[in-house]
Amino acid sequence: MDTSSIEVNDSSAACSGSIQVSYNNFATNSCVRMASQPSSSDNMTFTLDPGNLSNSTTFKIKVTTAVKDTNGNPMSSDNTTGTGFSTSGDSGKNGCS
């Protein structure tokens, strides 16, 4: 991947950046603010660092056409996870189910 094309929103709840995480199917201002930009050790797998994830919530991840390969070719369409992932309902724990 062209690492310069891998960006997340780290300043607000706006659904912006080439990789987005949303709790409301990417409606306006329903994206998770990330604590930092994604990191990678191999330029193929990227680790996201969300700020805070609400308990008992299902999130989806979208990778947009802004992501490019090393030759500068963008993805042909946005790719969104079908079922996403859910956080636990226990307010004393941070975990996914």
Side-chain angles (χ1 to χ4, degrees), residues 38-57:
S39 61
S40 176
S41 60
D42 61 6
N43 295 341
M44 294 187 316
T45 304
F46 291 82
T47 301
L48 302 178
D49 184 11
N52 290 313
L53 297 178
S54 301
N55 292 326
S56 301
T57 304

PDB file of all heavy atoms in Angstrom, residues 38-57:
ATOM      1  N   PRO A  38      -2.851   5.495  11.476  1.00  0.00           N
ATOM      2  CA  PRO A  38      -2.571   4.057  11.467  1.00  0.00           C
ATOM      3  C   PRO A  38      -1.070   3.767  11.368  1.00  0.00           C
ATOM      4  O   PRO A  38      -0.318   4.550  10.787  1.00  0.00           O
ATOM      5  CB  PRO A  38      -3.277   3.557  10.206  1.00  0.00           C
ATOM      6  CG  PRO A  38      -4.260   4.609   9.864  1.00  0.00           C
ATOM      7  CD  PRO A  38      -3.696   5.893  10.359  1.00  0.00           C
ATOM      8  N   SER A  39      -0.673   2.640  11.921  1.00  0.00           N
ATOM      9  CA  SER A  39       0.718   2.218  11.832  1.00  0.00           C
ATOM     10  C   SER A  39       0.788   0.869  11.119  1.00  0.00           C
ATOM     11  O   SER A  39      -0.180   0.116  11.095  1.00  0.00           O
ATOM     12  CB  SER A  39       1.337   2.108  13.228  1.00  0.00           C
ATOM     13  OG  SER A  39       0.646   1.139  13.992  1.00  0.00           O
ATOM     14  N   SER A  40       1.941   0.603  10.528  1.00  0.00           N
ATOM     15  CA  SER A  40       2.145  -0.660   9.818  1.00  0.00           C
ATOM     16  C   SER A  40       3.618  -1.029   9.847  1.00  0.00           C
ATOM     17  O   SER A  40       4.486  -0.165   9.749  1.00  0.00           O
ATOM     18  CB  SER A  40       1.689  -0.527   8.364  1.00  0.00           C
ATOM     19  OG  SER A  40       1.969  -1.711   7.649  1.00  0.00           O
ATOM     20  N   SER A  41       3.891  -2.322   9.964  1.00  0.00           N
ATOM     21  CA  SER A  41       5.280  -2.776   9.906  1.00  0.00           C
ATOM     22  C   SER A  41       5.598  -3.382   8.544  1.00  0.00           C
ATOM     23  O   SER A  41       6.759  -3.600   8.229  1.00  0.00           O
ATOM     24  CB  SER A  41       5.560  -3.795  11.015  1.00  0.00           C
ATOM     25  OG  SER A  41       4.708  -4.918  10.846  1.00  0.00           O
ATOM     26  N   ASP A  42       4.560  -3.642   7.729  1.00  0.00           N
ATOM     27  CA  ASP A  42       4.796  -4.295   6.433  1.00  0.00           C
ATOM     28  C   ASP A  42       4.104  -3.599   5.257  1.00  0.00           C
ATOM     29  O   ASP A  42       4.151  -4.082   4.140  1.00  0.00           O
ATOM     30  CB  ASP A  42       4.360  -5.754   6.493  1.00  0.00           C
ATOM     31  CG  ASP A  42       2.874  -5.920   6.791  1.00  0.00           C
ATOM     32  OD1 ASP A  42       2.139  -4.909   6.850  1.00  0.00           O
ATOM     33  OD2 ASP A  42       2.441  -7.070   6.981  1.00  0.00           O
ATOM     34  N   ASN A  43       3.445  -2.468   5.498  1.00  0.00           N
ATOM     35  CA  ASN A  43       2.702  -1.710   4.480  1.00  0.00           C
ATOM     36  C   ASN A  43       1.553  -2.492   3.854  1.00  0.00           C
ATOM     37  O   ASN A  43       1.063  -2.139   2.789  1.00  0.00           O
ATOM     38  CB  ASN A  43       3.631  -1.179   3.389  1.00  0.00           C
ATOM     39  CG  ASN A  43       4.604  -0.166   3.916  1.00  0.00           C
ATOM     40  OD1 ASN A  43       4.402   0.403   4.981  1.00  0.00           O
ATOM     41  ND2 ASN A  43       5.679   0.062   3.193  1.00  0.00           N
ATOM     42  N   MET A  44       1.111  -3.561   4.520  1.00  0.00           N
ATOM     43  CA  MET A  44      -0.035  -4.341   4.052  1.00  0.00           C
ATOM     44  C   MET A  44      -1.100  -4.457   5.139  1.00  0.00           C
ATOM     45  O   MET A  44      -2.280  -4.523   4.850  1.00  0.00           O
ATOM     46  CB  MET A  44       0.405  -5.738   3.600  1.00  0.00           C
ATOM     47  CG  MET A  44       1.299  -5.715   2.389  1.00  0.00           C
ATOM     48  SD  MET A  44       1.703  -7.320   1.665  1.00  0.00           S
ATOM     49  CE  MET A  44       2.080  -8.347   3.039  1.00  0.00           C
ATOM     50  N   THR A  45      -0.682  -4.501   6.390  1.00  0.00           N
ATOM     51  CA  THR A  45      -1.584  -4.604   7.527  1.00  0.00           C
ATOM     52  C   THR A  45      -1.419  -3.337   8.364  1.00  0.00           C
ATOM     53  O   THR A  45      -0.293  -2.983   8.721  1.00  0.00           O
ATOM     54  CB  THR A  45      -1.237  -5.838   8.385  1.00  0.00           C
ATOM     55  OG1 THR A  45      -1.275  -6.993   7.562  1.00  0.00           O
ATOM     56  CG2 THR A  45      -2.207  -5.985   9.538  1.00  0.00           C
ATOM     57  N   PHE A  46      -2.545  -2.679   8.653  1.00  0.00           N
ATOM     58  CA  PHE A  46      -2.488  -1.421   9.388  1.00  0.00           C
ATOM     59  C   PHE A  46      -3.254  -1.549  10.691  1.00  0.00           C
ATOM     60  O   PHE A  46      -4.319  -2.151  10.734  1.00  0.00           O
ATOM     61  CB  PHE A  46      -3.059  -0.279   8.540  1.00  0.00           C
ATOM     62  CG  PHE A  46      -2.172   0.052   7.371  1.00  0.00           C
ATOM     63  CD1 PHE A  46      -2.234  -0.686   6.205  1.00  0.00           C
ATOM     64  CD2 PHE A  46      -1.261   1.079   7.462  1.00  0.00           C
ATOM     65  CE1 PHE A  46      -1.399  -0.405   5.138  1.00  0.00           C
ATOM     66  CE2 PHE A  46      -0.418   1.371   6.402  1.00  0.00           C
ATOM     67  CZ  PHE A  46      -0.491   0.631   5.237  1.00  0.00           C
ATOM     68  N   THR A  47      -2.713  -0.977  11.753  1.00  0.00           N
ATOM     69  CA  THR A  47      -3.332  -0.997  13.067  1.00  0.00           C
ATOM     70  C   THR A  47      -3.979   0.357  13.334  1.00  0.00           C
ATOM     71  O   THR A  47      -3.319   1.390  13.212  1.00  0.00           O
ATOM     72  CB  THR A  47      -2.288  -1.297  14.155  1.00  0.00           C
ATOM     73  OG1 THR A  47      -1.687  -2.561  13.872  1.00  0.00           O
ATOM     74  CG2 THR A  47      -2.924  -1.324  15.535  1.00  0.00           C
ATOM     75  N   LEU A  48      -5.263   0.331  13.688  1.00  0.00           N
ATOM     76  CA  LEU A  48      -5.996   1.545  14.024  1.00  0.00           C
ATOM     77  C   LEU A  48      -5.997   1.735  15.526  1.00  0.00           C
ATOM     78  O   LEU A  48      -6.027   0.766  16.285  1.00  0.00           O
ATOM     79  CB  LEU A  48      -7.435   1.450  13.525  1.00  0.00           C
ATOM     80  CG  LEU A  48      -7.628   1.227  12.031  1.00  0.00           C
ATOM     81  CD1 LEU A  48      -9.104   1.117  11.702  1.00  0.00           C
ATOM     82  CD2 LEU A  48      -6.981   2.340  11.232  1.00  0.00           C
ATOM     83  N   ASP A  49      -5.976   2.976  15.967  1.00  0.00           N
ATOM     84  CA  ASP A  49      -5.949   3.301  17.384  1.00  0.00           C
ATOM     85  C   ASP A  49      -7.106   4.244  17.708  1.00  0.00           C
ATOM     86  O   ASP A  49      -6.943   5.460  17.723  1.00  0.00           O
ATOM     87  CB  ASP A  49      -4.611   3.951  17.725  1.00  0.00           C
ATOM     88  CG  ASP A  49      -4.451   4.243  19.204  1.00  0.00           C
ATOM     89  OD1 ASP A  49      -5.278   3.768  20.009  1.00  0.00           O
ATOM     90  OD2 ASP A  49      -3.500   4.958  19.562  1.00  0.00           O
ATOM     91  N   PRO A  50      -8.321   3.667  17.934  1.00  0.00           N
ATOM     92  CA  PRO A  50      -9.472   4.528  18.229  1.00  0.00           C
ATOM     93  C   PRO A  50      -9.323   5.196  19.583  1.00  0.00           C
ATOM     94  O   PRO A  50      -8.726   4.633  20.496  1.00  0.00           O
ATOM     95  CB  PRO A  50     -10.653   3.563  18.220  1.00  0.00           C
ATOM     96  CG  PRO A  50     -10.053   2.248  18.568  1.00  0.00           C
ATOM     97  CD  PRO A  50      -8.659   2.261  17.992  1.00  0.00           C
ATOM     98  N   GLY A  51      -9.888   6.390  19.689  1.00  0.00           N
ATOM     99  CA  GLY A  51      -9.870   7.079  20.978  1.00  0.00           C
ATOM    100  C   GLY A  51     -10.660   6.279  21.984  1.00  0.00           C
ATOM    101  O   GLY A  51     -10.133   5.432  22.681  1.00  0.00           O
ATOM    102  N   ASN A  52     -11.957   6.474  22.031  1.00  0.00           N
ATOM    103  CA  ASN A  52     -12.832   5.736  22.938  1.00  0.00           C
ATOM    104  C   ASN A  52     -13.957   5.105  22.135  1.00  0.00           C
ATOM    105  O   ASN A  52     -14.552   5.762  21.285  1.00  0.00           O
ATOM    106  CB  ASN A  52     -13.437   6.665  23.996  1.00  0.00           C
ATOM    107  CG  ASN A  52     -12.410   7.142  24.976  1.00  0.00           C
ATOM    108  OD1 ASN A  52     -11.631   6.353  25.479  1.00  0.00           O
ATOM    109  ND2 ASN A  52     -12.397   8.430  25.253  1.00  0.00           N
ATOM    110  N   LEU A  53     -14.249   3.858  22.419  1.00  0.00           N
ATOM    111  CA  LEU A  53     -15.371   3.175  21.787  1.00  0.00           C
ATOM    112  C   LEU A  53     -16.482   3.018  22.811  1.00  0.00           C
ATOM    113  O   LEU A  53     -16.238   2.576  23.941  1.00  0.00           O
ATOM    114  CB  LEU A  53     -14.954   1.798  21.268  1.00  0.00           C
ATOM    115  CG  LEU A  53     -13.878   1.791  20.175  1.00  0.00           C
ATOM    116  CD1 LEU A  53     -13.526   0.357  19.805  1.00  0.00           C
ATOM    117  CD2 LEU A  53     -14.334   2.562  18.959  1.00  0.00           C
ATOM    118  N   SER A  54     -17.684   3.383  22.450  1.00  0.00           N
ATOM    119  CA  SER A  54     -18.829   3.255  23.351  1.00  0.00           C
ATOM    120  C   SER A  54     -19.121   1.792  23.641  1.00  0.00           C
ATOM    121  O   SER A  54     -18.935   0.922  22.782  1.00  0.00           O
ATOM    122  CB  SER A  54     -20.066   3.889  22.711  1.00  0.00           C
ATOM    123  OG  SER A  54     -19.844   5.240  22.438  1.00  0.00           O
ATOM    124  N   ASN A  55     -19.610   1.522  24.857  1.00  0.00           N
ATOM    125  CA  ASN A  55     -19.995   0.161  25.242  1.00  0.00           C
ATOM    126  C   ASN A  55     -21.258  -0.263  24.502  1.00  0.00           C
ATOM    127  O   ASN A  55     -22.075   0.577  24.121  1.00  0.00           O
ATOM    128  CB  ASN A  55     -20.255   0.085  26.746  1.00  0.00           C
ATOM    129  CG  ASN A  55     -18.989   0.262  27.535  1.00  0.00           C
ATOM    130  OD1 ASN A  55     -17.924  -0.155  27.118  1.00  0.00           O
ATOM    131  ND2 ASN A  55     -19.098   0.907  28.679  1.00  0.00           N
ATOM    132  N   SER A  56     -21.423  -1.553  24.308  1.00  0.00           N
ATOM    133  CA  SER A  56     -22.626  -2.142  23.710  1.00  0.00           C
ATOM    134  C   SER A  56     -22.984  -1.488  22.377  1.00  0.00           C
ATOM    135  O   SER A  56     -24.129  -1.139  22.125  1.00  0.00           O
ATOM    136  CB  SER A  56     -23.815  -2.044  24.663  1.00  0.00           C
ATOM    137  OG  SER A  56     -23.536  -2.709  25.867  1.00  0.00           O
ATOM    138  N   THR A  57     -21.993  -1.316  21.536  1.00  0.00           N
ATOM    139  CA  THR A  57     -22.190  -0.641  20.257  1.00  0.00           C
ATOM    140  C   THR A  57     -21.554  -1.466  19.144  1.00  0.00           C
ATOM    141  O   THR A  57     -20.495  -2.051  19.330  1.00  0.00           O
ATOM    142  CB  THR A  57     -21.545   0.764  20.279  1.00  0.00           C
ATOM    143  OG1 THR A  57     -22.099   1.494  21.381  1.00  0.00           O
ATOM    144  CG2 THR A  57     -21.781   1.525  19.000  1.00  0.00           C
TER     145      THR A  57
END
